[in-house]
Amino acid sequence: MLPELFMTAVDFTTLPVRPEAFTIPAFTLAGSDWGPFSLRWYSLAYIAGIAGAWVLLTRMIRPPGAPLNQTQLDDYITWATLGVIGGGRLGYVIFYNPAQYLADPISILRLWDGGMSFHGGCFGVIAACFLHGWFAKFSGLRLLDYVATVTPLGLGLGRLANFVNGELWGRPTGSDWGIIFPEAGPEPRHPSQLYEAGLEGGVLFLLLTFLFWRTGARLRPGLLSGVFGLGYGLSRTIVENYREPDRQLGILDTGLTMGQTLSLPLIAAALLLLAVALLRKPVVA
């Protein structure tokens, strides 16, 4: 028998979660008022995702056959950070809300107001891999394989932060089950942020980690990137059926959401990468 929690609606405001990890109260210093200052879980998710990826990658490049050394990896983290933030922000501006930002271009820089796109951030990370590989004289595709393996860590943390913020909620469940989000009306809704955290984060991370350490996938350029792209694209396409479409876009004329539309070329590219990776001979460790 399912616990009662999973049978009835839960009021989000009763959950022990808040957007702020901690807050420094307002204070007076040198005759001036300062604060309050808050650090939000969403910001911490980005920091923890990047730091966690660096820790994992540091361990992953130790076995023979790694495409780069520690110094090159340390340099790459700067490239990746710029790619994630710059690509994520520009992707959101271009794909999700161009009219608003054309009317007020300076608001593009106000990252603290929210608005990031995974697909834009993904493109930024891919560009960072190949640019860094080109300048440092190593395979950008092989670096992308390593980065793809740890990316679900940041994805999972980001989706959990979305849930804590009470944003990007799901569609109405049509029953008494679900979560009532304070800004989404009185209907119980799917906690689609948690669905995404589980699929894009947990399941994909475990799968890629297994392939990296327990098989020869890391020696087949493009294979791990292909698995990631296919896994993310399919997960996002499925969960979009339970996630409320962006208000300014709704369901597109094609019958798909923007998230599903942007996932289609990702899935196609992933299938191509997988085919090429499996046809080529593996690199020598």
Side-chain angles (χ1 to χ4, degrees), residues 52-72:
W54 177 80
V55 171
L56 292 173
L57 288 168
T58 294
R59 181 166 176 261
M60 290 164 62
I61 64 173
R62 290 173 184 167
L68 73 169
N69 57 39
Q70 186 65 52
T71 300
Q72 292 169 327

Side-chain angles (χ1 to χ4, degrees), residues 238-250:
I238 292 170
V239 176
E240 284 284 317
N241 292 308
Y242 301 94
R243 174 175 163 173
E244 184 74 14
D246 294 83
R247 290 177 178 175
Q248 70 275 18
L249 296 177

Side-chain angles (χ1 to χ4, degrees), residues 150-240:
V150 301
T151 295
L153 173 65
L155 279 174
L157 292 173
R159 294 309 182 193
L160 290 175
N162 289 146
F163 179 77
V164 169
N165 285 347
E167 62 189 6
L168 303 184
W169 50 76
R171 303 183 191 190
T173 62
S175 69
D176 291 335
W177 179 87
I179 294 181
I180 301 173
F181 292 94
E183 297 183 16
E187 297 176 292
R189 293 177 176 270
H190 288 282
S192 55
Q193 314 96 321
L194 301 183
Y195 302 166
E196 291 188 86
L199 286 175
E200 302 165 8
V203 173
L204 201 50
F205 179 75
L206 292 174
L207 173 61
L208 288 165
T209 299
F210 173 81
L211 291 175
F212 184 92
W213 290 108
R214 299 298 182 183
T215 74
R218 68 184 180 86
L219 301 176
R220 289 186 174 274
L223 182 58
L224 292 168
S225 299
V227 172
F228 170 81
L230 181 61
Y232 177 85
L234 291 176
S235 297
R236 181 68 181 268
T237 299
I238 292 170
V239 176
E240 284 284 317

Side-chain angles (χ1 to χ4, degrees), residues 90-133:
L90 289 177
Y92 180 80
V93 169
I94 294 170
F95 297 127
Y96 288 93
N97 219 339
Q100 173 186 330
Y101 292 104
L102 283 175
D104 183 18
I106 197 66
S107 64
I108 295 174
L109 302 177
R110 292 200 287 267
L111 299 179
W112 52 88
D113 288 338
M116 300 288 281
S117 161
F118 164 79
H119 295 90
C122 181
F123 180 82
V125 169
I126 292 172
C129 285
F130 283 96
L131 284 172
H132 185 41

Side-chain angles (χ1 to χ4, degrees), residues 76 79-80 82-84 87 118-134 139-145 147-148 151 225-226 228-229 265-266 269-270 273:
Y76 169 72
W79 289 77
L82 294 174
V84 168
F118 164 79
H119 295 90
C122 181
F123 180 82
V125 169
I126 292 172
C129 285
F130 283 96
L131 284 172
H132 185 41
W134 184 72
S139 171
L141 179 58
R142 293 206 62 213
L143 171 58
L144 183 61
D145 283 339
V147 172
T151 295
S225 299
F228 170 81
L266 180 62
L273 277 175

